[in-house]
Amino acid sequence: MLQHHRRIALATATAAALTGGLLTFSAGTATAATPARQYKADFNRDGYGDVAFAAPYAKVGGKNMAGYVAVVYGSSTGLNSAKRTVVSQNTAGVPGTAETEDGFGEAIAVADLNGDGYTDLAVGTPGEDNGSDVDGGAITVLWGSSSGLKNGTSVKDPAPTKHDNWGRVLAAGDFNGDGKADLASGTSASYVYVVKGRFTKSGTTGGTQKVNLPEKAMFGVDAMSAGNTNGDTKSDLVLTYRTALASAPSGSWSKGVAYLGASTGLVVSQPRPLNGGTSVALGDIDGDGYDEIALGNVFGEDSDHTGTLGGQVVVIRGSAGGPVNGDAPMAELTQASTGVPGTDKADDGFGGDVSIADTNGDGYGDLAIGVVFKDIGAAEDTGLVVLMNGSSQGVSRTGARTVSQNTVGVPGTNEDMDYFGSDLLLTDVNKDGRADLTVGAAFEDEGVGAVTALRGSATGITATGSKSFGPGTFGLSRTYGAFGTGLTG
């Protein structure tokens, strides 16, 4: 049995233990009906949404935990696993070489970074050694084209040797509203760098902005995402980090912060404090044109630092003035909350990942919540997903459902330590106007990993026609790798 902190890091792909350890992160950009440009993956520009993910701990070229990324392309029938691209640092045209513990793909983000009409994929490799700079990290942009992802270019670290793990977490947005996509990257330090667009295949960019966190972070940024909380023409950046507890320096307390976009970039002088968490998603739940912020926290920390039993999700309302936090968020959800299916039990991992998009075409963003360590029957830590409807009043307390590998029509079987729901993505891949659900199970088959795809419908997510695939589907070795980590699209 893996230690608890390592299991959480592998399973949620957005979490880290209170005492630190191996970290992986998901940094997708949510879709919402707001004036600022939102980024959706269409790497081959065929009009169908595509889904990218990673296997950051997979062996590549005989090197353990070197990692690779993969794209499954959308079609009229949903994700088509026969149409795919797999890229590692050993792929022709991609900078670098696969090396032990590089973690290629531990963070990924999508945007049209060079403005050619094709979505590009930014890939973080936080364990990359740069000469004598051990674990300095790297970011690679894989370029979209009519045939999908092809070739790559390195993104220069603005302060090499000043931190480790460049590319540790990633988020894309247009933070200054100039129509060019920017890329935010976390590091091991207490700051984020925004690399401004436009990006070129020769490696030039539009400059950088350093964004200092409000206080010292124990392990850098934990989770990060971009969206538009105030309905203007600039993207906002939301992130979480952990600070040391004065009463127990080896422990930590999770905090969140939002930085609003402006014509000069992110407004770092006015950080908006938020709840902490291990996962972040942005999307318009109540249909008013402002993105809400969902913060999942598998630890469910309360103000007394003792935590809830099985984790929690806090939803912060967007408004013309940005995120409205205060003492009354839109929703504070646990498995003990009205309308939430299930029973709150210790270490369930409710909030291991979150995603927001409209699954039934009613104009309101729905909320998907991973419950990554949920026991079902005799299967321990098998995991499930809770789906909650959006409404004009926010997160609806009626009509919520669960999806697991025990759900009729869903491929697979609940098994110990599958961690179904460790990664979630709601995005439309078949061009019917309804978001489809892609679910990662990071520890399926003892760490191999797997991905399940379900369709949106007039009644929301349906198991009818659902599909599942893993490394074997791609002709790849079925070995430890956490296939399906960091779902982005």
Side-chain angles (χ1 to χ4, degrees):
M1 181 71 70
L2 293 172
Q3 292 181 2
H4 187 61
H5 74 264
R6 186 172 173 81
R7 291 171 51 212
I8 288 173
L10 285 170
T12 67
T14 54
L18 295 177
T19 56
L22 182 64
L23 302 173
T24 40
F25 301 91
S26 180
T29 303
T31 302
T34 56
R37 183 177 180 183
Q38 302 294 318
Y39 299 113
K40 178 180 175 180
D42 185 3
F43 301 108
N44 58 0
R45 202 178 176 183
D46 64 355
Y48 296 102
D50 306 320
V51 172
F53 54 88
Y57 309 131
K59 181 183 290 187
V60 176
K63 304 296 184 181
N64 290 327
M65 300 179 70
Y68 62 80
V69 297
V71 170
V72 179
Y73 297 93
S75 71
S76 60
T77 59
L79 291 182
N80 180 5
S81 60
K83 190 176 182 181
R84 59 188 184 260
T85 300
V86 177
V87 179
S88 75
Q89 288 183 292
N90 281 358
T91 301
V94 176
T97 303
E99 298 169 319
T100 300
E101 296 185 359
D102 273 353
F104 184 76
E106 281 201 23
I108 52 178
V110 299
D112 180 5
L113 293 167
N114 63 351
D116 66 354
Y118 296 96
T119 308
D120 309 305
L121 182 68
V123 181
T125 313
E128 180 81 11
D129 295 341
N130 300 305
S132 61
D133 184 10
V134 177
D135 293 339
I139 299 173
T140 304
V141 175
L142 304 177
W143 303 106
S145 73
S146 59
S147 58
L149 291 183
K150 187 177 181 180
N151 300 321
T153 301
S154 296
V155 178
K156 183 180 179 181
D157 185 342
T161 74
K162 301 298 183 182
H163 51 246
D164 287 336
N165 307 140
W166 171 241
R168 172 183 182 149
V169 288
L170 298 172
D174 182 4
F175 302 113
N176 58 5
D178 65 355
K180 302 171 185 176
D182 310 313
L183 184 65
S185 173
T187 69
S188 62
S190 301
Y191 51 77
V192 168
Y193 273 107
V194 174
V195 182
K196 300 178 182 180
R198 178 158 282 137
F199 293 71
T200 70
K201 293 183 179 180
S202 64
T204 61
T205 66
T208 60
Q209 179 187 16
K210 186 177 182 180
V211 180
N212 290 310
L213 302 186
E215 54 197 314
K216 181 176 175 58
M218 290 183 71
F219 308 107
V221 175
D222 284 345
M224 185 165 66
S225 190
N228 193 355
T229 65
N230 60 356
D232 63 6
T233 59
K234 295 93 176 173
S235 300
D236 309 316
L237 185 68
V238 178
L239 57 85
T240 66
Y241 61 97
R242 285 166 294 145
T243 60
L245 293 174
S247 58
S250 62
S252 63
W253 176 244
S254 183
K255 297 184 179 181
V257 62
Y259 298 95
L260 300 187
S263 59
T264 55
L266 294 173
V267 183
V268 297
S269 61
Q270 298 177 352
R272 305 292 184 91
L274 303 172
N275 297 74
T278 51
S279 60
V280 181
L282 285 87
D284 187 3
I285 293 175
D286 59 7
D288 64 356
Y290 308 115
D291 276 359
E292 274 67 59
I293 302 168
L295 296 153
N297 195 334
V298 292
F299 306 117
E301 296 162 297
D302 291 329
S303 58
D304 62 359
H305 310 293
T306 59
T308 61
L309 283 173
Q312 68 178 354
V313 174
V314 176
V315 181
I316 307 299
R317 188 183 303 274
S319 74
V324 180
N325 196 6
D327 297 323
M330 174 182 282
E332 292 182 273
L333 305 170
T334 71
Q335 291 177 101
S337 300
T338 301
V340 179
T343 302
D344 199 22
K345 295 182 179 179
D347 299 320
D348 273 352
F350 184 82
D353 201 11
V354 285
S355 188
I356 302 170
D358 182 4
T359 65
N360 58 5
D362 65 356
Y364 302 109
D366 305 313
L367 175 64
I369 303 169
V371 194
V372 292
F373 307 137
K374 190 71 174 179
D375 298 343
I376 301 177
E380 296 182 357
D381 292 348
T382 190
L384 59 76
V385 179
V386 171
L387 298 166
M388 303 191 71
N389 297 322
S391 74
S392 61
Q393 302 304 307
V395 180
S396 175
R397 300 308 177 98
T398 62
R401 296 171 291 156
T402 63
V403 175
S404 74
Q405 291 183 94
N406 259 15
T407 301
V408 175
V410 175
T413 304
N414 288 334
E415 300 168 316
D416 290 350
M417 295 176 67
D418 278 348
Y419 301 162
F420 185 84
S422 60
D423 292 84
L424 301 175
L425 176 64
L426 289 172
T427 191
D428 183 7
V429 299
N430 62 357
K431 207 165 55 172
D432 68 352
R434 304 181 181 105
D436 307 295
L437 174 65
T438 311
V439 182
F443 215 70
E444 179 85 22
D445 294 337
E446 298 185 357
V448 174
V451 172
T452 300
L454 302 96
R455 294 187 296 113
S457 73
T459 57
I461 296 300
T462 175
T464 302
S466 58
K467 310 170 185 177
S468 183
F469 49 89
T473 312
F474 287 26
L476 300 169
S477 176
R478 294 187 72 260
T479 57
Y480 173 82
F483 181 93
T485 294
L487 290 165
T488 304

